[in-house]
Amino acid sequence: MNSRAFAARSCGDNIVRFGTTSAPDTMNPFASWNSFWPWVFAYDWFVCVDAQRHPDRKGFAKDWSVAADNVTWTFKVWPGMKWSDGQPATARDAAFTYNYLRGSMGTPNELNVGYNNITGLENVESIAVLDDETLQIVTKTPTRWPIDNSTMIVPEHIWKDISYADARGAFRNDPPLVGTGPMIVSEFQQDQFVRLTPNPYFRNGQPAIVGAILQIFKTSDALGAGLKSGSLDYAANLTTAQWIDLSKNPDIVVGQQRIEQRDFLAFNTAFGKGAGSTKALQDPKFRDAIGYAIDQKAIVDRAMHGQAEPGVGPIPPLLAEYYSDLSDIRRHFDLAEAGRRLDAAGYRDTDGDGVREDKEGKSVQLELVASANSGGTCRYRSRPSSSLPVGSNRSGFPCP
């Protein structure tokens, strides 16, 4: 989930109705990143991370091992497994999925735009089907990619005639989706809802529910209202303020857990074809000084209502085995230190108006840029040219 706030009611008719503001745009995993929720119920990963941590969450592959050379991986898929349309699901389908991606590499229609993409396949030497239940992957150098990749395995009999050009966009993969997951995406109305029904051939038997409806909302306010009215059983993508409000409702169970989400705020150092509003933006000493003027604790307390942790680097605190707080070298909030470093770097208030200028005497305006998925604390404007939407608050911030 991309939110620490989520909540649920109890569903009495065994049809789970859950709401989200994450809107699927297509059921084609080679063309989009936006439909994870429907896909994850319909498709299996070959292995991926969950299967390595939890024996009851294995995907397309039942077992796997790596040889002493650390490059030869052997996988066993579930015997007798079937696709949701009743056709056999074998190691050949897994090989097809990976080779379908590999075959696109270097072509004008390379499959590099969607959830299922070529990342990591450049290190694969060969993929061989030893029999219907056995797949062998040989990599060029030792890597955990064969078990860590999150490619969703698709059926060869559905995708073998889909061109790479169509797979990148035109092919919608309309319902019913054919997968090996516990549910079938049986209906999809864009910007409205996705209907899920049980997969009669799921290898672990039938789920305890008779169906599910993923309802799409434009705003998180509607999610909260749906929970309160009882029209929703579960909701994600709530704001922290809603989480606090719903926690007071005895009819709603509100959950919370630490996750690996990262929310980013950044100042531009160069914008478009230009160099930004000032050359100071490209001066490391200027940017270093600004780092001491940012109160991360205040951001956490005020913008996230305390439901976050200040960022240090790319590794979040949740990953305790790899995390360091970098206390010996990290910047800390200290306006006096920021001012001292700006003085030393030559950024002073030269006209006496109380605001520093750059070295050329120009006003400094910083553009604040945030990810579109960051906590809902900013208003976002998408940039269509970006593969991952970003947004910006363009009001401008004078440098103190």
Side-chain angles (χ1 to χ4, degrees):
M1 287 180 219
N2 63 2
S3 175
R4 295 182 73 164
F6 57 94
R9 302 179 66 99
S10 61
C11 40
D13 58 3
N14 287 333
I15 296 177
V16 178
R17 295 167 177 84
F18 56 107
T20 178
T21 55
S22 298
D25 52 358
T26 176
M27 291 297 110
N28 177 356
F30 296 92
S32 173
W33 288 85
N34 294 339
S35 305
F36 177 83
W37 270 50
W39 291 332
V40 79
F41 294 115
Y43 292 120
D44 275 314
W45 293 304
F46 196 42
V47 178
C48 207
V49 179
D50 262 9
Q52 299 172 55
R53 297 175 176 173
H54 308 284
D56 60 334
R57 298 187 192 176
K58 290 182 179 178
F60 204 89
K62 178 183 178 183
D63 298 295
W64 56 89
S65 61
V66 61
D69 62 7
N70 287 321
V71 298
T72 303
W73 294 79
T74 302
F75 300 87
K76 287 288 187 178
V77 306
W78 297 92
M81 184 165 56
K82 292 183 179 181
W83 292 103
S84 56
D85 63 357
Q87 295 206 31
T90 71
R92 301 181 191 282
D93 293 290
F96 166 80
T97 302
Y98 290 129
N99 284 325
Y100 185 68
L101 290 163
R102 287 180 76 203
S104 76
M105 294 173 68
T107 71
N109 294 302
E110 190 172 68
L111 297 177
N112 57 5
V113 297
Y115 187 91
N116 274 10
N117 60 71
I118 62 172
T119 301
L121 283 163
E122 68 279 358
N123 195 33
V124 172
E125 183 68 38
S126 63
I127 298 175
V129 176
L130 304 187
D131 57 51
D132 281 354
E133 296 178 9
T134 311
L135 183 72
Q136 184 182 83
I137 297 177
V138 179
T139 59
K140 297 174 183 177
T141 58
T143 172
R144 289 178 58 86
W145 178 89
I147 57 173
D148 282 352
N149 76 86
S150 57
T151 302
M152 293 179 172
I153 305 302
V154 300
E156 180 177 11
H157 65 279
I158 299 293
W159 287 87
K160 64 181 180 180
D161 296 324
I162 306 301
S163 69
Y164 291 140
D166 286 344
R168 280 176 57 95
F171 181 60
R172 298 278 298 173
N173 195 27
D174 289 328
L177 266 62
V178 177
T180 52
M183 305 293 284
I184 298 172
V185 175
S186 56
E187 186 178 2
F188 171 43
Q189 296 294 329
Q190 191 163 349
D191 296 325
Q192 297 181 51
F193 68 89
V194 179
R195 188 182 305 276
L196 299 149
T197 53
N199 174 4
Y201 299 103
F202 184 55
R203 59 186 174 275
N204 288 341
Q206 294 299 284
I209 59 174
V210 299
I213 297 174
L214 170 62
Q215 192 166 346
I216 313 301
F217 292 88
K218 297 292 185 182
T219 69
S220 59
D221 289 341
L223 292 175
L227 285 169
K228 290 180 177 180
S229 69
S231 62
L232 289 179
D233 299 305
Y234 179 91
N237 309 111
L238 299 171
T239 66
T240 306
Q242 287 177 306
W243 181 86
I244 294 171
D245 177 57
L246 293 170
S247 298
K248 303 172 185 177
N249 190 323
D251 296 326
I252 298 175
V253 177
V254 180
Q256 181 185 45
Q257 65 183 34
R258 299 172 81 201
I259 62 172
E260 298 176 19
Q261 175 181 323
R262 302 159 184 83
D263 289 346
F264 297 95
L265 292 175
F267 294 115
N268 68 315
T269 53
F271 183 77
K273 296 181 180 179
S277 64
T278 170
K279 292 180 180 178
L281 292 165
Q282 298 185 34
D283 181 353
K285 292 182 179 179
F286 175 83
R287 300 203 301 271
D288 176 53
I290 293 299
Y292 287 89
I294 298 173
D295 189 346
Q296 288 187 319
K297 185 177 184 304
I299 294 174
V300 167
D301 291 344
R302 295 169 62 184
M304 310 295 285
H305 295 269
Q307 305 301 307
E309 296 168 280
V312 176
I315 307 299
L318 178 63
L319 303 179
E321 294 180 62
Y322 311 101
Y323 173 75
S324 168
D325 64 8
L326 304 179
S327 57
D328 57 332
I329 61 171
R330 69 178 297 185
R331 297 182 184 92
H332 54 279
F333 175 57
D334 188 334
L335 289 178
E337 179 65 14
R340 187 191 70 77
R341 290 177 182 248
L342 286 170
D343 286 341
Y347 300 96
R348 300 173 179 271
D349 177 13
T350 57
D351 58 10
D353 66 351
V355 179
R356 297 174 188 267
E357 288 77 42
D358 66 14
K359 294 179 181 180
E360 298 176 327
K362 297 178 180 179
S363 174
V364 176
Q365 295 291 324
L366 302 179
E367 181 183 64
L368 182 64
V369 182
S371 164
N373 291 324
S374 293
T377 57
C378 293
R379 285 181 255 175
Y380 298 103
R381 185 187 67 157
S382 64
R383 293 179 182 166
S385 61
S386 175
S387 60
L388 291 176
V390 298
S392 61
N393 179 332
R394 303 184 61 83
S395 58
F397 295 84
C399 177

